[in-house]
Each structure stands twice: as C-alpha cells, then as structure tokens.
Amino acid sequence: MKKLELVFVPFPAMGHLVSIVEFGRVLVGRDDRFSVTLLIMKGPILHPEITNYIHSISAACFSGSIRFVHLPQLDGRDSSNSNPSSSSPTVFLHNIMERQKLLVRDAVRQLMIRSETGRLTGIVIDSFCSSIMDVGDELGVPSYVFVTSSAASLALMFHLQTLHDHHGVVLTEFADSDTELVVPGFVNSVPARVLPALWVDKEGGWGSIAFLEEARRARQAKGILVNTVLELESHVIDSFVDGTTPPVYTEGPLLNSNHGDHQKVIRWLDDQPPSSVLFLCFGSIGEFNEDQVKDIAIALENSRYPFLWSLRRPPPKGMMAGSSDYTDFKQVLPQEFLDRTSKIGKIIGWTSQVTVLAHPAIGGFVSYWWMKFYIKEYMVRCPNSDMANVCITTIECISISERVRNTDRDQIRLQ
C-alpha cells in the first residue's frame, strides 16, 4: 500500500526533538497510512543525549514507518562551533540554518526521487527552523509549523509581531517598560518588562528580528501544530479565528519519559515527603553564568525549601555549543553551599523532566518562561498534585530570586 510520506525537520535540541518524534510515533501508531522521515541536523548544539535518544528510538520497532536521515556535516566556517565575535548567537544560528536549508532541500529531493513506498504530502518544520519553509515552497510541498511550546507563547509572538509590523511599535522599547500588554487569548495583561530579553535586545536587536521573522513565516504555513491540549488552553486556541493565522491544531501532550538513567534521582526523591521538593530545570540548552548560578543558590538556601536542581554548564565564552554537565559543582556554587544544603537539597546534571515531575515528592517547578515545561508539569502531575501549592511555591522562589538581583548577596545570606 502506498503511504503518505511526511518529512519532519526538528531543531537539534532535546526538548524540540522529543516532542516532534513523539508526534510522529503517535501519528503512525494511529494511522498506518502514514510514514515519517526525520531529517537530523549536525551542528554545534547537538547534545550527546540527542544521539542516545535517536539510537533508542531507532532500535524500537515501527515496521519501517519512522526513519532517521542524518544530514551531512556543514563544511567551511559555518560547521565550526566557534562563534565569531562580530556576530551574536542569534545571527550565528541564523547563518547555520540558512546553510542547513540547502542540505534539507537536497535530502527532500532525494526522497521524492527514490520514494517507492509513498508520496510526499507535507513537511513539518520546527518553528525555530521556519526559514526552511522555503524548501517546501520551492518543491511545491505544503509546509506545517510545529510549535514545541504552548499556544499562549504562540499568541504572544503573533501579537508582538502585529504591534511591530502594523502599528509601528519598536519592541526594544519594551525593555524595562511599565507597559501592560493586552494579548488576544490571554485572561490577564502581560507586563512588558517580563518579556524575554532576547526579544527586546537593544544591542543590535537581532533577537527581536529573528522571532519576528519566525512569526511572519508561521502565518504563511499550511497549518500550525502545537504541543498543547485544547482543554488546557481553549481560551487561547479560540483566539486564533481572526483569519490572520493558518489553522492551529493541538497535538499534545507529547511526552517521553523513557530516555536516560534516573535511578539515583528517583531514590533520593523517594526519601522526601510528598509535595515537598522544588524542582529547578531549564531544559537541554538552559544555562547560567557564575553570578546567576550564585544568585539562584542563595535564593534556594534562604527559601529553606527542599530542592532538586538540574544545573548545566554553559559552553566556553565565544563558543556556540550546547550546555554540558559539570564535573565538580563546587567550581560554580557559593563556598560550602553543598555542605550547608546537603540535608535539604540535591544538585544534578541532565535529567528527564517528565520522570522527575511525575514523582509525588515534587511540589513546585521553576523553569524558564517558555511554557512547554509547564504543560509537561500539568499533564504529569494533574492526577495527584495540588496545583495551587505548585504555583505558590514557584512564585515564592522567584520572588526571592528577584530580591537577590537587587540586593547585595552577602546581606541576603545573613538575613
């Protein structure tokens, strides 16, 4: 039987890859008319965890309905993991993606020529790779954008792009602004000062340029797939009806908790009281400089809450690469912090957020603002957790961190 072939182009970061692979697994599992080919980019932020995950999925049996095609390594300067001092990380990643676009085009062409089992019916592209929609346009194949975060983040992105493109608003002016943004689909207004710094970057503004272009390209897609649940974000989904966006489909929750060895972490959590532990995890590319790490550490110590902190080391300065695990946490934490908090806290490296969040000992979750992690938290904890306690605990920890930013560290330590 001829199958309907879909090509998936994920962004090479763990949270992005897992979501889009799980979508493929669900799709071919529910309808055997589909087959999926994932094009895996090689680049400076490809983590070892990604390679291990791909191997584990490839070893599973899907009757050939899912396969991975590894794109060639980029040649020349763009294949290096060095970040030229004249370019921001956003510019560097943009240049990488433009080069990857050529490799994706060649790979899709080969699939169209050699395909004996089906016909290519669509390209599903991670929202971070939206420029690759050009491949679909060139080859006459419809493109769909896959959003790994929430519908709320998508609505906010579209709203800011509308303000910029149609109302002449300069987004960089929102930095440290007291403006309250009324976003379609949001119940409450959004303080402009909490927008991601990358979006309101005054030094060159490349971050805002990149995300604005991402929003424009998403509007041109055949459809948008979001890793969320209609029941969780119905108010936001209902706001996408003004005709300015393509159809938005909810495809979540797309989770996978089977990768990685987490026995030591689980054993530690088993010894903690229910709903007592504050979990801090910022994804596979979440990283902080030493001053930020010390700020968070002081906040945790003063909060006196039991905590589990997934702490990752940033790449060397001037290098565009992924975060990695520390060999010695003492190198970056305040002096004697591990000794002082040994009875209430645990510092770890890479871990599976879903596995940890599903444990009954977790009572709060702190992550970065991109809401896919909170969707994970809701979906795995909803049956057995008090969501009010989760929110209160998280807000209290964030409030402490805010005080740390505006007060001398030594003064806070003595309070």
Side-chain angles (χ1 to χ4, degrees):
M1 180 181 68
K2 288 283 188 179
K3 290 183 177 288
L4 303 176
E5 178 79 20
L6 291 171
V7 171
F8 286 8
V9 185
F11 183 75
M14 195 65 175
H16 291 252
L17 181 67
V18 169
S19 296
I20 202 167
V21 169
E22 291 305 307
F23 173 55
R25 291 177 61 173
V26 171
L27 183 64
V28 301
R30 291 183 177 178
D31 194 330
D32 61 7
R33 294 175 301 170
F34 287 100
S35 63
V36 171
T37 297
L38 288 111
L39 304 184
I40 306 301
M41 302 177 186
K42 294 181 180 178
I45 59 173
L46 190 64
H47 296 266
E49 294 89 355
I50 291 179
T51 302
N52 295 337
Y53 173 72
I54 292 174
H55 287 163
S56 67
I57 295 297
S58 299
C61 179
F62 292 103
S63 301
S65 294
I66 292 183
R67 63 172 177 160
F68 295 87
V69 173
H70 295 265
L71 298 177
Q73 180 72 48
L74 291 172
D75 58 358
R77 183 180 63 181
D78 287 336
S79 65
S80 167
N81 67 345
S82 62
N83 183 19
S85 59
S86 60
S87 298
S88 70
T90 307
V91 175
F92 182 75
L93 286 176
H94 170 77
N95 293 337
I96 288 286
M97 207 53 60
E98 286 299 306
R99 294 288 305 279
Q100 293 284 3
K101 181 164 52 178
L102 303 177
L103 300 179
V104 170
R105 183 194 62 190
D106 292 344
V108 173
R109 278 179 172 170
Q110 290 299 315
L111 285 172
M112 296 175 71
I113 294 172
R114 298 177 180 177
S115 179
E116 298 177 353
T117 58
R119 59 185 179 88
L120 183 59
T121 57
I123 303 177
V124 180
I125 302 167
D126 189 289
S127 59
F128 279 22
C129 311
S130 57
S131 65
I132 292 178
M133 286 175 60
D134 292 341
V135 174
D137 295 341
E138 179 180 342
L139 301 179
V141 180
S143 296
Y144 298 83
V145 169
F146 187 90
V147 179
T148 58
S149 53
S150 64
S153 65
L154 179 66
L156 178 60
M157 184 174 69
F158 279 149
H159 180 63
L160 293 176
Q161 181 247 325
T162 298
L163 291 179
H164 179 275
D165 290 356
H166 301 290
H167 300 281
V169 175
V170 179
L171 299 186
T172 55
E173 295 180 356
F174 284 145
D176 302 318
S177 170
D178 292 328
T179 301
E180 294 282 331
L181 300 173
V182 179
V183 182
F186 280 40
V187 175
N188 300 312
S189 59
V190 178
R193 64 178 179 275
V194 306
L195 293 174
L198 188 65
W199 287 15
V200 294
D201 176 22
K202 289 186 175 181
E203 298 181 3
W206 274 103
S208 62
I209 291 173
F211 104 82
L212 286 170
E213 185 59 22
E214 180 183 330
R216 296 184 192 109
R217 296 310 302 264
R219 291 186 189 272
Q220 299 168 5
K222 183 74 171 179
I224 301 176
L225 313 172
V226 187
N227 184 13
T228 188
V229 184
L230 179 60
E231 290 78 6
L232 182 61
E233 296 192 278
S234 59
H235 191 62
V236 180
I237 298 298
D238 290 342
S239 71
F240 297 123
V241 293
D242 59 359
T244 65
T245 67
V248 176
Y249 306 97
T250 58
E251 303 297 337
L254 300 167
L255 310 173
N256 184 303
S257 61
N258 297 323
H259 55 279
D261 182 5
H262 315 288
Q263 293 183 1
K264 291 183 179 180
V265 175
I266 297 302
R267 283 198 296 268
W268 184 84
L269 288 171
D270 288 342
D271 294 334
Q272 311 307 314
S275 300
S276 66
V277 177
L278 184 66
F279 178 42
L280 296 90
C281 187
F282 302 89
S284 60
I285 57 176
E287 57 197 38
F288 299 94
N289 61 40
E290 289 192 14
D291 285 341
Q292 291 171 323
V293 170
K294 288 181 170 60
D295 285 348
I296 295 173
I298 293 169
L300 287 173
E301 184 175 356
N302 281 274
S303 75
R304 297 181 175 85
Y305 282 109
F307 65 87
L308 177 66
W309 184 4
S310 176
L311 178 57
R312 303 275 287 176
R313 177 172 55 188
K317 188 174 181 179
M319 302 288 286
M320 178 58 67
S323 57
S324 59
D325 286 344
Y326 283 96
T327 56
D328 184 0
F329 291 119
K330 293 181 179 179
Q331 296 174 352
V332 67
L333 291 168
Q335 188 174 4
E336 298 180 354
F337 171 83
L338 292 175
D339 294 332
R340 293 193 301 270
T341 60
S342 61
K343 294 183 178 180
I344 65 167
K346 185 175 182 62
I347 310 289
I348 60 175
W350 167 261
T351 191
S352 166
Q353 296 151 347
V354 177
T355 301
V356 172
L357 287 170
H359 197 284
I362 299 298
F365 183 36
V366 176
S367 187
Y368 66 82
W369 82 282
W370 209 253
M371 286 291 291
K372 66 183 175 188
F373 294 106
Y374 292 95
I375 292 175
K376 282 185 181 179
E377 203 279 345
Y378 184 87
M379 295 313 301
V380 300
R381 297 297 312 286
C382 186
N384 62 355
S385 72
D386 184 343
M387 294 303 294
N389 284 342
V390 171
C391 294
I392 291 171
T393 306
T394 304
I395 291 170
E396 287 178 348
C397 185
I398 292 173
S399 298
I400 294 170
S401 300
E402 185 68 22
R403 284 167 42 209
V404 170
R405 287 172 51 191
N406 298 289
T407 310
D408 182 82
R409 293 192 184 94
D410 293 331
Q411 291 180 353
I412 289 184
R413 186 179 290 113
L414 296 174
Q415 289 180 0

